[in-house]
């Protein structure tokens, strides 16, 4: 039931939206059972929960797009809601600008201003062809147009379903600042944990048909969630202790049936029938991979262009065993194209990619295109393998599905009945069932819930193979990669050591140095016409410490050099053991090992020097006068 009125919550803030006794089921699954939610003026709330828990359904109910089976949804009188669906649809014949302005009511002057603001936002989100027809746009472009349309609305409540999907890092930063600066109330579903941390002041978790609110950002939620779990476990331990005491009394038998004894029997029955706390559904991943030989994936002088547009220019890199590499860049820069080149789905214009004989690539693509909606869940997995070897032994497809929270009858349901996030989770399992030793993940955080992401991150920690990630999710990159390649225009890729935060710090330092250098040049130019005496008195301002060009290049590659030397020494040691009786070969291998060890020691000394200098640069130190 939907209704509208004004009312005050706790005598202080006005409630803009309130949901009470919400009950909602989808097919045979109960999504909500007597759940409650409220939203106050100016609040920014993040909705989280496992895929299929009902997060998108909850947003649709708030936006009036779906009706609850039971319960009430109360919206403040005259409160305007702007809703961003997960998969927006536009009429095919509309232009990009018309898609954004559709549904906006304004006078002639206001409409001109609205168009200007719309074009500015569209440009920020990478859409510059305002006349392009909707039918020609990708799903990501349509999502960004819908986002601009929602942000432009004079609404009291913004309801956003996965607003950060299909945004690159710069776009996500821009949206973050937009939402933080708005006074409107906000409810959103997102799996971007840094985004949740920065924007939201309250987290609402959908779990087992209920909605639990935590008055904190994402970091605070983790702490409060752990406290709630501890309290529930303590409460259950106490219940079990009392139950054991009561059970012993019941088993002794009562000599007389007094009122007191009847009450004690009733208490025992009540304790026995009370439901224990239900553990959260949690994806379990056993380590699944194949042996990786000496030759892995070697990229040499790779080139790829579409027409006049160069996407990849002279890219070379040798992926090392257990490498953890992230690729970042603006939408459309060529990240997915590079992944398709690595997997052999596309051919390069020039250069070559050498793939070792033992390499088994698992590609978790950005778009899932091979799912038959009528196929059963278990058959989709059995198409790859009936059994897979894990650290725990042989595990069947059915058992792996259970680990991925597809239990019992759910394994025999049709794929078409799954939510978008559940399909992504199922596709992730299908890739892992192939036991890859090179695992490529293209935008894995789109549509995967936070719980699945945390387990995937833990899985990648123990994965014995190469991990290659394309992602805009800063948290996921910080958690999973040790080296980043950034697309920096004209197809050029630049290497950065560390995770996303390390990359962002380096870029910030470079921008600051460039700005300071620009200021020095302006001051010098202003002094040029003031005479030799003035120039003689001018003192050069102190310069911030920075790497030379050669030091910068060396710093970017030295960790890879060290890893390559360590691998070479390890290989030589293995060969030395095999050549124990071949003294000529043994002599040569020993000399090679000594040379490699001496070079490794030099590299380690040099690495320590560069790391120390990098730390001093990060601390903002200045060059010492000579």
């Amino acid at each position: 039931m939907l209704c509208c009125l004004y009312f005050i919550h706790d005598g202080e803030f006005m409630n803009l939206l309130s949901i009470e006794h919400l009950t909602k089921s989808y097919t045979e699954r109960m999504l909500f059972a007597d759940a409650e939610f409220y939203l106050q003026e100016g609040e920014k709330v993040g909705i989280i929960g496992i895929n299929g828990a009902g997060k998108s359904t909850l947003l649709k109910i708030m936006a009036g797009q779906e009706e609850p089976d039971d319960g009430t949804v109360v919206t403040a009188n005259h409160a305007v809601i702007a809703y961003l669906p997960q998969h927006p649809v536009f009429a095919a014949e509309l232009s990009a600008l018309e898609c954004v302005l559709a549904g906006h009511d304004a006078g002639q002057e206001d409409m001109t201003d609205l168009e200007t603001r719309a074009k500015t936002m569209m440009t920020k989100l990478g859409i510059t062809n305002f006349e392009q027809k909707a039918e020609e746009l990708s799903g990501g472009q349509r999502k960004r147009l819908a986002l601009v349309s929602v942000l432009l609305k004079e609404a009291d409540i913004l309801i956003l379903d996965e607003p950060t999907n299909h945004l690159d890092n710069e776009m996500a930063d821009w949206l973050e600042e937009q939402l933080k600066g708005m006074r409107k109330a906000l409810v959103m579903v997102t799996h971007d944990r840094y985004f949740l941390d920065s924007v939201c002041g309250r987290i609402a978790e959908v779990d087992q048909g209920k909605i639990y609110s935590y008055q904190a950002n994402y970091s605070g939620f983790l702490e409060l969630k752990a406290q709630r779990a501890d309290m529930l476990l303590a409460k259950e331990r106490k219940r079990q202790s009392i139950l054991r005491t009561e059970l012993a009394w019941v088993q002794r038998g009562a000599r007389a049936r007094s009122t007191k004894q009847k009450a004690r029997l009733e208490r025992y029955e009540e304790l026995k029938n009370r439901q224990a706390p239900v553990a959260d559904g949690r994806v379990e991943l056993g380590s699944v991979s194949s042996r990786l030989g000496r030759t892995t994936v070697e990229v040499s002088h790779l080139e790829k262009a579409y027409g006049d547009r160069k996407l990849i220019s002279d890219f070379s890199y040798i992926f090392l065993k257990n490498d953890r590499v992230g690729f970042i860049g603006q939408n459309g820069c060529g990240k997915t194209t590079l992944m398709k080149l690595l997997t052999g789905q596309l051919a390069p214009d020039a250069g070559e990619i050498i793939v070792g004989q033992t390499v088994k690539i698992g590609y978790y693509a950005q778009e899932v295109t091979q799912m038959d909606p009528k196929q059963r869940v278990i058959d989709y997995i059995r198409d790859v393998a009936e059994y897979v070897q894990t650290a725990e032994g042989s595990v069947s497809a059915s058992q792996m599905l259970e680990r991925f929270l597809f239990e019992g009858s759910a394994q025999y349901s049709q794929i078409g009945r799954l939510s978008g996030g559940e399909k992504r989770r199922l596709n992730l399992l299908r890739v892992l069932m192939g036991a890859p030793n090179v695992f490529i993940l293209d935008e894995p955080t789109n549509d995967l819930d936070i719980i699945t992401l945390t387990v995937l991150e833990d899985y990648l920690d123990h994965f014995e193979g190469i991990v290659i990630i394309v992602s805009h999710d800063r948290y996921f990159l910080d958690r999973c990669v040790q080296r980043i390649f950034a697309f920096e225009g004209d197809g050029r890729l630049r290497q950065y050591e560390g995770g996303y935060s390390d990359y962002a710090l380096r870029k910030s330092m470079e921008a600051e140095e460039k700005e300071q250098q620009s200021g020095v040049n302006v001051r010098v130019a202003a002094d040029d016409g003031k005479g030799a005496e003035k120039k003689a008195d001018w003192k050069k301002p102190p310069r911030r410490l920075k790497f030379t060009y050669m030091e910068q290049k060396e710093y970017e590659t030295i960790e890879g050099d060290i890893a390559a030397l360590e691998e070479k020494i390890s290989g030589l040691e293995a060969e030395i053991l095999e050549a124990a009786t071949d003294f000529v070969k043994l002599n040569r291998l020993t000399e090679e090992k000594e040379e490699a060890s001496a070079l490794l020691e030099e590299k380690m000394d040099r690495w320590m020097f560069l790391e120390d200098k990098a730390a001093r640069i990060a601390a903002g130190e200045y060059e010492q006068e000579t």
Side-chain angles (χ1 to χ4, degrees), residues 501-550:
S501 294
D502 299 302
Y503 156 80
L505 177 62
R506 182 73 62 81
K507 295 297 287 184
S508 175
M509 287 165 54
E510 289 175 359
E512 185 182 337
E513 287 175 9
K514 188 175 180 181
E515 186 178 339
Q516 288 175 344
Q517 189 60 44
S518 174
V520 170
N521 292 339
V522 169
R523 287 196 297 273
V524 172
D527 286 342
D528 277 348
K530 296 184 179 179
E533 297 85 0
K534 185 76 174 176
K535 284 186 180 179
D537 292 338
W538 178 76
K539 184 179 180 182
K540 187 177 179 181
R543 292 174 57 186
R544 282 190 181 273
L545 184 67
K546 65 177 182 178
F547 282 133
T548 65
Y549 174 78
M550 292 305 295

Short mmCIF file of all heavy atoms in Angstrom, two decimals, residues 501-550:
data_model
loop_
_atom_site.label_atom_id
_atom_site.label_comp_id
_atom_site.label_asym_id
_atom_site.label_seq_id
_atom_site.Cartn_x
_atom_site.Cartn_y
_atom_site.Cartn_z
N SER A 501 45.85 3.49 -4.95
CA SER A 501 46.19 4.64 -4.10
C SER A 501 47.62 5.11 -4.35
O SER A 501 47.90 6.31 -4.34
CB SER A 501 45.99 4.30 -2.61
OG SER A 501 44.63 4.08 -2.33
N ASP A 502 48.54 4.14 -4.59
CA ASP A 502 49.92 4.50 -4.91
C ASP A 502 49.98 5.24 -6.24
O ASP A 502 50.70 6.23 -6.39
CB ASP A 502 50.79 3.24 -4.98
CG ASP A 502 50.82 2.49 -3.66
OD1 ASP A 502 51.22 3.10 -2.66
OD2 ASP A 502 50.44 1.32 -3.64
N TYR A 503 49.20 4.75 -7.20
CA TYR A 503 49.13 5.42 -8.52
C TYR A 503 48.59 6.84 -8.37
O TYR A 503 49.15 7.80 -8.93
CB TYR A 503 48.24 4.60 -9.45
CG TYR A 503 47.61 5.39 -10.58
CD1 TYR A 503 48.34 5.70 -11.72
CD2 TYR A 503 46.28 5.83 -10.48
CE1 TYR A 503 47.76 6.44 -12.75
CE2 TYR A 503 45.70 6.56 -11.50
CZ TYR A 503 46.44 6.86 -12.63
OH TYR A 503 45.87 7.60 -13.64
N ALA A 504 47.49 6.99 -7.61
CA ALA A 504 46.87 8.31 -7.45
C ALA A 504 47.82 9.28 -6.75
O ALA A 504 47.89 10.46 -7.11
CB ALA A 504 45.57 8.17 -6.65
N LEU A 505 48.58 8.78 -5.76
CA LEU A 505 49.55 9.62 -5.05
C LEU A 505 50.63 10.09 -6.01
O LEU A 505 51.01 11.28 -6.01
CB LEU A 505 50.17 8.85 -3.89
CG LEU A 505 51.27 9.57 -3.09
CD1 LEU A 505 50.72 10.83 -2.43
CD2 LEU A 505 51.88 8.65 -2.04
N ARG A 506 51.14 9.18 -6.84
CA ARG A 506 52.19 9.54 -7.80
C ARG A 506 51.68 10.60 -8.78
O ARG A 506 52.38 11.58 -9.09
CB ARG A 506 52.63 8.29 -8.55
CG ARG A 506 53.76 8.51 -9.55
CD ARG A 506 55.08 8.73 -8.84
NE ARG A 506 55.44 7.57 -8.06
CZ ARG A 506 56.02 6.48 -8.56
NH1 ARG A 506 56.29 6.40 -9.84
NH2 ARG A 506 56.32 5.47 -7.76
N LYS A 507 50.45 10.42 -9.29
CA LYS A 507 49.89 11.39 -10.24
C LYS A 507 49.69 12.74 -9.58
O LYS A 507 49.92 13.79 -10.19
CB LYS A 507 48.55 10.87 -10.78
CG LYS A 507 48.65 9.62 -11.62
CD LYS A 507 49.47 9.83 -12.88
CE LYS A 507 48.74 10.64 -13.92
NZ LYS A 507 49.51 10.75 -15.18
N SER A 508 49.26 12.73 -8.31
CA SER A 508 49.06 13.98 -7.57
C SER A 508 50.38 14.71 -7.38
O SER A 508 50.46 15.94 -7.53
CB SER A 508 48.41 13.66 -6.22
OG SER A 508 48.32 14.81 -5.42
N MET A 509 51.43 13.97 -7.04
CA MET A 509 52.75 14.57 -6.85
C MET A 509 53.26 15.17 -8.16
O MET A 509 53.81 16.27 -8.18
CB MET A 509 53.74 13.51 -6.35
CG MET A 509 53.53 13.09 -4.90
SD MET A 509 54.41 11.55 -4.49
CE MET A 509 56.07 11.97 -5.00
N GLU A 510 53.05 14.46 -9.27
CA GLU A 510 53.50 14.96 -10.56
C GLU A 510 52.76 16.24 -10.95
O GLU A 510 53.35 17.17 -11.49
CB GLU A 510 53.30 13.88 -11.63
CG GLU A 510 54.26 12.71 -11.50
CD GLU A 510 53.97 11.60 -12.48
OE1 GLU A 510 53.00 11.73 -13.26
OE2 GLU A 510 54.72 10.60 -12.49
N ALA A 511 51.45 16.27 -10.68
CA ALA A 511 50.66 17.46 -10.99
C ALA A 511 51.12 18.65 -10.16
O ALA A 511 51.21 19.79 -10.66
CB ALA A 511 49.18 17.17 -10.75
N GLU A 512 51.42 18.39 -8.88
CA GLU A 512 51.89 19.45 -7.99
C GLU A 512 53.23 19.99 -8.46
O GLU A 512 53.45 21.20 -8.50
CB GLU A 512 52.00 18.91 -6.57
CG GLU A 512 52.38 19.97 -5.53
CD GLU A 512 52.52 19.39 -4.14
OE1 GLU A 512 51.93 18.32 -3.88
OE2 GLU A 512 53.23 19.99 -3.33
N GLU A 513 54.14 19.10 -8.84
CA GLU A 513 55.45 19.52 -9.33
C GLU A 513 55.32 20.34 -10.61
O GLU A 513 56.00 21.35 -10.80
CB GLU A 513 56.33 18.30 -9.58
CG GLU A 513 56.82 17.64 -8.30
CD GLU A 513 57.59 16.36 -8.58
OE1 GLU A 513 57.88 16.10 -9.77
OE2 GLU A 513 57.89 15.63 -7.63
N LYS A 514 54.41 19.90 -11.50
CA LYS A 514 54.21 20.62 -12.76
C LYS A 514 53.67 22.02 -12.50
O LYS A 514 54.09 22.99 -13.12
CB LYS A 514 53.22 19.83 -13.62
CG LYS A 514 53.07 20.36 -15.04
CD LYS A 514 52.17 19.45 -15.86
CE LYS A 514 52.03 19.98 -17.28
NZ LYS A 514 51.13 19.12 -18.10
N GLU A 515 52.75 22.11 -11.53
CA GLU A 515 52.17 23.42 -11.18
C GLU A 515 53.23 24.33 -10.59
O GLU A 515 53.31 25.52 -10.92
CB GLU A 515 51.02 23.21 -10.19
CG GLU A 515 50.26 24.48 -9.87
CD GLU A 515 49.10 24.22 -8.91
OE1 GLU A 515 48.65 23.06 -8.82
OE2 GLU A 515 48.68 25.17 -8.25
N GLN A 516 54.07 23.79 -9.70
CA GLN A 516 55.14 24.60 -9.09
C GLN A 516 56.16 25.05 -10.13
O GLN A 516 56.61 26.19 -10.13
CB GLN A 516 55.83 23.79 -7.99
CG GLN A 516 54.98 23.60 -6.75
CD GLN A 516 55.65 22.71 -5.72
OE1 GLN A 516 56.60 22.01 -6.03
NE2 GLN A 516 55.15 22.74 -4.49
N GLN A 517 56.51 24.15 -11.04
CA GLN A 517 57.46 24.49 -12.09
C GLN A 517 56.90 25.57 -13.00
O GLN A 517 57.61 26.49 -13.41
CB GLN A 517 57.80 23.24 -12.92
CG GLN A 517 58.96 23.43 -13.89
CD GLN A 517 60.25 23.81 -13.18
OE1 GLN A 517 60.58 23.22 -12.16
NE2 GLN A 517 60.96 24.80 -13.71
N SER A 518 55.59 25.48 -13.28
CA SER A 518 54.93 26.50 -14.09
C SER A 518 55.00 27.85 -13.42
O SER A 518 55.24 28.88 -14.04
CB SER A 518 53.47 26.10 -14.33
OG SER A 518 52.78 27.12 -15.00
N GLY A 519 54.82 27.87 -12.07
CA GLY A 519 54.88 29.13 -11.31
C GLY A 519 56.27 29.74 -11.36
O GLY A 519 56.44 30.95 -11.49
N VAL A 520 57.30 28.89 -11.27
CA VAL A 520 58.69 29.37 -11.36
C VAL A 520 58.94 30.00 -12.71
O VAL A 520 59.53 31.08 -12.82
CB VAL A 520 59.68 28.22 -11.10
CG1 VAL A 520 61.11 28.65 -11.43
CG2 VAL A 520 59.60 27.76 -9.65
N ASN A 521 58.48 29.36 -13.79
CA ASN A 521 58.69 29.88 -15.15
C ASN A 521 58.03 31.22 -15.34
O ASN A 521 58.58 32.11 -16.01
CB ASN A 521 58.15 28.88 -16.18
CG ASN A 521 58.97 27.60 -16.21
OD1 ASN A 521 60.12 27.60 -15.78
ND2 ASN A 521 58.38 26.51 -16.70
N VAL A 522 56.82 31.39 -14.76
CA VAL A 522 56.11 32.67 -14.86
C VAL A 522 56.90 33.77 -14.17
O VAL A 522 57.06 34.88 -14.69
CB VAL A 522 54.69 32.56 -14.26
CG1 VAL A 522 54.06 33.93 -14.11
CG2 VAL A 522 53.82 31.66 -15.12
N ARG A 523 57.45 33.48 -12.98
CA ARG A 523 58.21 34.49 -12.24
C ARG A 523 59.49 34.87 -12.98
O ARG A 523 59.87 36.03 -13.05
CB ARG A 523 58.55 33.96 -10.84
CG ARG A 523 57.36 33.92 -9.90
CD ARG A 523 57.81 33.78 -8.44
NE ARG A 523 58.51 32.53 -8.21
CZ ARG A 523 57.90 31.39 -7.90
NH1 ARG A 523 56.58 31.34 -7.83
NH2 ARG A 523 58.60 30.30 -7.69
N VAL A 524 60.15 33.87 -13.58
CA VAL A 524 61.38 34.14 -14.33
C VAL A 524 61.07 35.02 -15.54
O VAL A 524 61.78 35.98 -15.83
CB VAL A 524 62.05 32.82 -14.77
CG1 VAL A 524 63.20 33.10 -15.72
CG2 VAL A 524 62.56 32.06 -13.56
N ALA A 525 59.98 34.72 -16.24
CA ALA A 525 59.61 35.50 -17.42
C ALA A 525 59.30 36.94 -17.05
O ALA A 525 59.63 37.88 -17.77
CB ALA A 525 58.39 34.86 -18.10
N ALA A 526 58.67 37.14 -15.89
CA ALA A 526 58.32 38.50 -15.45
C ALA A 526 59.57 39.31 -15.13
O ALA A 526 59.58 40.54 -15.23
CB ALA A 526 57.42 38.43 -14.22
N ASP A 527 60.64 38.63 -14.74
CA ASP A 527 61.88 39.32 -14.37
C ASP A 527 62.76 39.65 -15.57
O ASP A 527 63.74 40.40 -15.45
CB ASP A 527 62.70 38.45 -13.40
CG ASP A 527 62.09 38.45 -12.01
OD1 ASP A 527 61.28 39.35 -11.73
OD2 ASP A 527 62.43 37.54 -11.22
N ASP A 528 62.46 39.09 -16.76
CA ASP A 528 63.36 39.21 -17.90
C ASP A 528 63.66 40.66 -18.30
O ASP A 528 64.77 40.96 -18.74
CB ASP A 528 62.78 38.46 -19.11
CG ASP A 528 63.10 36.97 -19.02
OD1 ASP A 528 63.93 36.62 -18.18
OD2 ASP A 528 62.50 36.19 -19.78
N GLY A 529 62.71 41.54 -18.16
CA GLY A 529 62.94 42.91 -18.63
C GLY A 529 63.41 43.86 -17.56
O GLY A 529 63.37 45.08 -17.75
N LYS A 530 63.87 43.38 -16.42
CA LYS A 530 64.18 44.27 -15.29
C LYS A 530 65.67 44.51 -15.09
O LYS A 530 66.08 45.01 -14.06
CB LYS A 530 63.57 43.71 -14.01
CG LYS A 530 62.05 43.68 -14.06
CD LYS A 530 61.45 43.22 -12.76
CE LYS A 530 59.93 43.22 -12.83
NZ LYS A 530 59.33 42.75 -11.59
N GLY A 531 66.50 44.08 -16.07
CA GLY A 531 67.92 44.45 -15.99
C GLY A 531 68.77 43.38 -15.35
O GLY A 531 68.32 42.56 -14.57
N ALA A 532 70.07 43.44 -15.69
CA ALA A 532 71.02 42.44 -15.20
C ALA A 532 71.21 42.50 -13.71
O ALA A 532 71.41 41.49 -13.06
CB ALA A 532 72.36 42.63 -15.92
N GLU A 533 71.14 43.75 -13.13
CA GLU A 533 71.34 43.88 -11.69
C GLU A 533 70.26 43.13 -10.92
O GLU A 533 70.52 42.46 -9.93
CB GLU A 533 71.34 45.36 -11.28
CG GLU A 533 72.45 46.17 -11.89
CD GLU A 533 72.09 46.69 -13.28
OE1 GLU A 533 70.96 46.40 -13.75
OE2 GLU A 533 72.95 47.34 -13.88
N LYS A 534 69.01 43.27 -11.40
CA LYS A 534 67.89 42.60 -10.74
C LYS A 534 68.06 41.08 -10.80
O LYS A 534 67.83 40.37 -9.83
CB LYS A 534 66.59 43.01 -11.43
CG LYS A 534 65.33 42.47 -10.78
CD LYS A 534 64.99 43.20 -9.52
CE LYS A 534 63.67 42.76 -8.94
NZ LYS A 534 63.36 43.40 -7.67
N LYS A 535 68.54 40.60 -12.00
CA LYS A 535 68.72 39.16 -12.17
C LYS A 535 69.82 38.63 -11.26
O LYS A 535 69.74 37.52 -10.75
CB LYS A 535 69.05 38.84 -13.62
CG LYS A 535 67.84 38.91 -14.55
CD LYS A 535 68.20 38.44 -15.94
CE LYS A 535 66.98 38.52 -16.86
NZ LYS A 535 67.30 38.09 -18.23
N ALA A 536 70.83 39.44 -11.06
CA ALA A 536 71.95 39.00 -10.22
C ALA A 536 71.52 38.83 -8.78
O ALA A 536 72.05 37.99 -8.06
CB ALA A 536 73.09 40.02 -10.31
N ASP A 537 70.55 39.66 -8.34
CA ASP A 537 70.07 39.59 -6.96
C ASP A 537 69.02 38.49 -6.75
O ASP A 537 68.71 38.14 -5.62
CB ASP A 537 69.43 40.94 -6.55
CG ASP A 537 70.48 42.04 -6.47
OD1 ASP A 537 71.66 41.67 -6.32
OD2 ASP A 537 70.12 43.21 -6.58
N TRP A 538 68.47 37.99 -7.87
CA TRP A 538 67.36 37.02 -7.75
C TRP A 538 67.89 35.68 -7.27
O TRP A 538 68.88 35.16 -7.77
CB TRP A 538 66.70 36.86 -9.12
CG TRP A 538 65.57 35.86 -9.11
CD1 TRP A 538 64.33 36.03 -8.62
CD2 TRP A 538 65.61 34.53 -9.65
NE1 TRP A 538 63.57 34.92 -8.80
CE2 TRP A 538 64.33 33.96 -9.44
CE3 TRP A 538 66.59 33.75 -10.28
CZ2 TRP A 538 64.01 32.69 -9.83
CZ3 TRP A 538 66.26 32.47 -10.68
CH2 TRP A 538 64.98 31.94 -10.45
N LYS A 539 67.25 35.15 -6.25
CA LYS A 539 67.66 33.86 -5.69
C LYS A 539 66.69 32.78 -6.17
O LYS A 539 65.48 32.92 -6.04
CB LYS A 539 67.66 33.92 -4.16
CG LYS A 539 68.17 32.63 -3.53
CD LYS A 539 68.18 32.75 -2.02
CE LYS A 539 68.69 31.47 -1.38
NZ LYS A 539 68.66 31.54 0.09
N LYS A 540 67.23 31.73 -6.74
CA LYS A 540 66.40 30.63 -7.24
C LYS A 540 65.65 29.98 -6.07
O LYS A 540 66.26 29.65 -5.06
CB LYS A 540 67.31 29.59 -7.91
CG LYS A 540 66.55 28.48 -8.61
CD LYS A 540 67.53 27.56 -9.31
CE LYS A 540 66.77 26.43 -10.00
NZ LYS A 540 67.70 25.50 -10.67
N PRO A 541 64.34 29.85 -6.18
CA PRO A 541 63.57 29.25 -5.08
C PRO A 541 63.95 27.79 -4.88
O PRO A 541 64.44 27.14 -5.81
CB PRO A 541 62.12 29.38 -5.55
CG PRO A 541 62.20 29.43 -7.04
CD PRO A 541 63.48 30.14 -7.36
N PRO A 542 63.78 27.30 -3.66
CA PRO A 542 64.12 25.88 -3.42
C PRO A 542 63.25 24.97 -4.28
O PRO A 542 62.07 25.23 -4.48
CB PRO A 542 63.82 25.70 -1.93
CG PRO A 542 62.86 26.78 -1.58
CD PRO A 542 63.21 27.94 -2.47
N ARG A 543 63.85 23.90 -4.75
CA ARG A 543 63.14 22.96 -5.61
C ARG A 543 62.82 21.69 -4.83
O ARG A 543 63.65 21.20 -4.07
CB ARG A 543 63.99 22.61 -6.83
CG ARG A 543 64.17 23.75 -7.80
CD ARG A 543 65.14 23.38 -8.91
NE ARG A 543 64.69 22.18 -9.62
CZ ARG A 543 65.42 21.58 -10.57
NH1 ARG A 543 66.62 22.03 -10.86
NH2 ARG A 543 64.95 20.51 -11.17
N ARG A 544 61.60 21.20 -5.05
CA ARG A 544 61.23 19.94 -4.40
C ARG A 544 62.06 18.80 -4.97
O ARG A 544 62.39 18.77 -6.15
CB ARG A 544 59.74 19.64 -4.62
CG ARG A 544 58.83 20.44 -3.72
CD ARG A 544 57.41 19.92 -3.83
NE ARG A 544 56.50 20.67 -3.00
CZ ARG A 544 56.25 20.42 -1.73
NH1 ARG A 544 56.88 19.43 -1.13
NH2 ARG A 544 55.40 21.15 -1.05
N LEU A 545 62.39 17.88 -4.10
CA LEU A 545 63.13 16.70 -4.49
C LEU A 545 62.29 15.88 -5.47
O LEU A 545 61.07 15.70 -5.27
CB LEU A 545 63.46 15.86 -3.26
CG LEU A 545 64.33 14.62 -3.47
CD1 LEU A 545 65.74 15.03 -3.88
CD2 LEU A 545 64.38 13.80 -2.18
N LYS A 546 62.89 15.41 -6.53
CA LYS A 546 62.16 14.56 -7.47
C LYS A 546 63.13 13.63 -8.19
O LYS A 546 64.34 13.84 -8.20
CB LYS A 546 61.38 15.40 -8.48
CG LYS A 546 62.24 16.23 -9.40
CD LYS A 546 61.37 16.97 -10.41
CE LYS A 546 62.23 17.78 -11.38
NZ LYS A 546 61.40 18.47 -12.38
N PHE A 547 62.59 12.59 -8.81
CA PHE A 547 63.39 11.67 -9.58
C PHE A 547 63.85 12.33 -10.87
O PHE A 547 63.14 13.16 -11.46
CB PHE A 547 62.57 10.42 -9.98
CG PHE A 547 62.40 9.41 -8.88
CD1 PHE A 547 61.15 8.85 -8.61
CD2 PHE A 547 63.49 8.98 -8.14
CE1 PHE A 547 60.98 7.91 -7.61
CE2 PHE A 547 63.34 8.03 -7.14
CZ PHE A 547 62.09 7.49 -6.88
N THR A 548 65.06 11.98 -11.34
CA THR A 548 65.44 12.31 -12.69
C THR A 548 64.63 11.41 -13.63
O THR A 548 63.99 10.44 -13.19
CB THR A 548 66.94 12.05 -12.93
OG1 THR A 548 67.19 10.64 -12.81
CG2 THR A 548 67.79 12.83 -11.92
N TYR A 549 64.68 11.74 -14.93
CA TYR A 549 63.93 10.94 -15.90
C TYR A 549 64.37 9.48 -15.84
O TYR A 549 63.54 8.55 -15.81
CB TYR A 549 64.13 11.50 -17.31
CG TYR A 549 63.51 10.66 -18.39
CD1 TYR A 549 62.14 10.71 -18.64
CD2 TYR A 549 64.29 9.78 -19.16
CE1 TYR A 549 61.56 9.92 -19.62
CE2 TYR A 549 63.72 9.00 -20.14
CZ TYR A 549 62.35 9.06 -20.37
OH TYR A 549 61.78 8.28 -21.34
N MET A 550 65.70 9.25 -15.80
CA MET A 550 66.22 7.88 -15.79
C MET A 550 65.88 7.16 -14.49
O MET A 550 65.57 5.97 -14.48
CB MET A 550 67.74 7.90 -16.01
CG MET A 550 68.15 8.35 -17.40
SD MET A 550 67.35 7.37 -18.72
CE MET A 550 68.06 5.75 -18.42
#
